[in-house]
Amino acid sequence: MIYNNFQELRLSALGLGAMRLPAAGENLSEIDEAATEKMVAYAMEHGINYYDTAWGYHDGQSETVIGRILGKYPRDSYFLATKFPGYDLANMDKVEAIFEEQLKKCGVEYFDFYLFHNVCEMNIDAYLDPKYVIFDYLLKQKENGRIRHLGFSAHANCDIMKRFLDAYGEHMEFGQIQLNWIDWSFQNAKEKVDLLNERQIPIWVMEPLRGGKLASLSQEACGQLHAFRPEASIPSWSFRFLQGIDGVTMTLSGMSSLEQIQENIRTFETEEKLTEEELHTLLGIADRMIQNILPCTACRYCTAHCPKGLDIPSLLKLYNEHCFTGGGFIAPMALMAVPEDKHPSACIGCRSCEAVCPQQIKISEAMSDFDAKLQTPSS
């Protein structure tokens, strides 16, 4: 296992994310605890010492199950991370009650790592509002030794991250972002990496395989990659990509089976950064995978002609994300910060925007399709 230094600690470069644990049934809350225990045992035996859970994972059961399993090991043999669930605005005034309950659920007296969960457009104002005392309370818990290291996770754009860091950055010891070779350009992950490196904040990676989407590629793409490394698995390419990114200290993978843990641990036995040619090829595959997204350049000619005052470039960016992912939470989450009368459903199909679009995008059709997809959770 590769290890990275973080302050006085030696962290396994690969961490086990407890968001996609094996299920015993169709209900996400029904975690297969026996299978999970085998996974953790293998991980511990083979050098993984970082375990990441959260209040809402598996409908609230992840913290309990992971805490119970890790409780069978010496407390100094692993690092446990969880998060304050600010993705739900109803939790903002409950930081003390939630934190105390998390300690009980995990069966520990302190958390090695604790995060502001999912800093984003929807919750940034609340996270920065002193009336909720979230920052003050968590800082106090750190002073009391109940939090060893304080950080944040974010799916937000760079401007939102900057607002958060301008307020709290002095106290943020690590930042967790969605980072992989698709999102390097698609979600401007490179800009976020640069921001964290500029602030000298170590980078934690989530979604290295984008929910498994990068674990299975087209036959053509697989052929290109196997020409370079015939024995390498497709998922390993995502991890090798991350090994070449400055600042990356921890890579979290939400592994769902013993086989996935075994394969990923094999990858992390060595550090094998991609060559320039390999990186160029991989990013070329990324470009082809997203070539069907709408080619909006955010010139904003359209916005001046929209009678409803819609921020069309921002909506198209969310639409592209939603289509590429096949649904997911990012677009709906971002839209929670947008007034209802500025949602894609507000488009009246007048096509005034299309008359001035240099890219000739059929914007009204995109808005209609976006609205339909948002109304269909499985889309």
Side-chain angles (χ1 to χ4, degrees):
M1 173 60 62
I2 303 166
Y3 291 89
N4 292 320
N5 293 325
F6 172 77
Q7 298 183 26
E8 77 286 1
L9 304 179
R10 187 167 175 263
L11 303 179
S12 56
L14 175 66
L16 195 158
M19 186 175 74
R20 299 185 177 96
L21 299 173
E26 294 184 2
N27 193 323
L28 284 177
S29 63
E30 298 177 8
I31 298 172
D32 187 332
E33 193 161 340
T36 302
E37 188 164 357
K38 290 180 181 178
M39 290 168 57
V40 171
Y42 189 91
M44 293 286 283
E45 182 181 348
H46 290 82
I48 291 180
N49 61 14
Y50 191 99
Y51 297 83
D52 172 271
T53 183
W55 178 261
Y57 291 174
H58 285 278
D59 294 336
Q61 296 304 306
S62 177
E63 288 177 325
T64 301
V65 170
I66 284 296
R68 190 156 51 227
I69 292 173
L70 289 176
K72 300 177 182 180
Y73 297 87
R75 185 63 183 89
D76 61 357
S77 66
Y78 62 87
F79 302 109
L80 178 62
T82 195
K83 314 168 185 76
F84 173 73
Y87 55 82
D88 184 347
L89 293 177
N91 293 329
M92 290 300 182
D93 61 351
K94 301 180 179 66
V95 61
E96 181 175 0
I98 288 175
F99 184 80
E100 297 294 341
E101 180 63 20
Q102 287 176 307
L103 288 172
K104 292 178 183 176
K105 288 173 69 177
C106 292
V108 295
E109 295 182 351
Y110 65 90
F111 293 114
D112 300 282
F113 294 84
Y114 197 87
L115 297 81
F116 289 78
H117 196 173
N118 191 18
V119 175
C120 65
E121 292 79 358
M122 175 267 296
N123 60 26
I124 183 64
D125 290 332
Y127 264 145
L128 299 184
D129 194 330
K131 75 179 181 183
Y132 293 121
V133 301
I134 298 169
F135 174 73
D136 291 339
Y137 180 81
L138 296 181
L139 202 59
K140 188 67 174 179
Q141 303 318 303
K142 185 181 175 185
E143 292 170 359
N144 293 337
R146 303 170 88 200
I147 293 174
R148 299 292 174 86
H149 301 283
L150 187 61
F152 72 100
S153 69
H155 285 282
N157 62 43
C158 248
D159 288 340
I160 297 297
M161 286 177 59
K162 286 175 183 176
R163 281 187 63 194
F164 183 81
L165 292 175
D166 286 344
Y168 302 145
E170 177 185 355
H171 300 279
M172 293 299 105
E173 299 175 79
F174 62 104
Q176 188 166 303
I177 60 173
Q178 180 167 313
L179 177 57
N180 51 66
W181 52 271
I182 281 285
D183 290 320
W184 188 242
S185 59
F186 187 49
Q187 281 202 9
N188 297 319
K190 182 182 184 302
E191 185 181 2
K192 299 173 187 179
V193 166
D194 290 342
L195 173 65
L196 292 175
N197 281 332
E198 287 169 7
R199 305 267 181 143
Q200 297 184 313
I201 298 175
I203 298 167
W204 264 228
V205 174
M206 56 183 166
E207 299 293 353
L209 295 171
R210 221 179 196 274
K213 196 174 187 71
L214 304 185
S216 179
L217 303 178
S218 69
Q219 185 174 354
E220 178 187 2
C222 289
Q224 285 184 279
L225 299 182
H226 285 152
F228 288 106
R229 305 187 185 205
E231 304 303 320
S233 68
I234 294 303
S236 72
W237 279 83
S238 293
F239 298 124
R240 299 303 184 204
F241 168 79
L242 294 170
Q243 289 177 351
I245 305 299
D246 289 342
V248 170
T249 299
M250 170 59 58
T251 297
L252 297 169
S253 180
M255 296 171 275
S256 304
S257 68
L258 181 60
E259 291 72 23
Q260 289 177 1
I261 283 189
Q262 290 171 334
E263 179 178 331
N264 290 349
I265 286 177
R266 281 195 295 271
T267 298
F268 277 86
E269 288 176 350
T270 58
E271 183 174 286
E272 300 176 30
K273 301 176 183 178
L274 300 183
T275 66
E276 286 295 324
E277 187 178 4
E278 289 172 335
L279 179 60
H280 178 77
T281 299
L282 190 65
L283 295 181
I285 292 171
D287 288 341
R288 290 196 298 277
M289 287 176 67
I290 62 175
Q291 67 182 352
N292 292 324
I293 67 173
L294 298 179
C296 176
T297 62
C299 69
R300 305 195 71 83
Y301 295 163
C302 56
T303 56
H305 291 261
C306 178
K308 304 296 288 185
L310 302 183
D311 186 348
I312 294 170
S314 294
L315 292 176
L316 290 180
K317 182 177 180 181
L318 291 175
Y319 176 66
N320 280 333
E321 160 62 31
H322 206 60
C323 290
F324 180 78
T325 305
F329 68 91
I330 291 179
M333 175 189 70
L335 286 170
M336 289 178 66
V338 177
E340 191 72 29
D341 64 353
K342 303 301 180 186
H343 281 208
S345 58
C347 174
I348 59 175
C350 69
R351 300 184 185 275
S352 296
C353 55
E354 296 175 14
V356 296
C357 177
Q359 306 300 323
Q360 299 183 344
I361 298 171
K362 296 180 179 179
I363 297 171
S364 59
E365 294 181 14
M367 293 298 106
S368 177
D369 187 48
F370 194 7
D371 181 50
K373 283 178 164 59
L374 290 169
Q375 305 308 319
T376 309
S378 61
S379 64

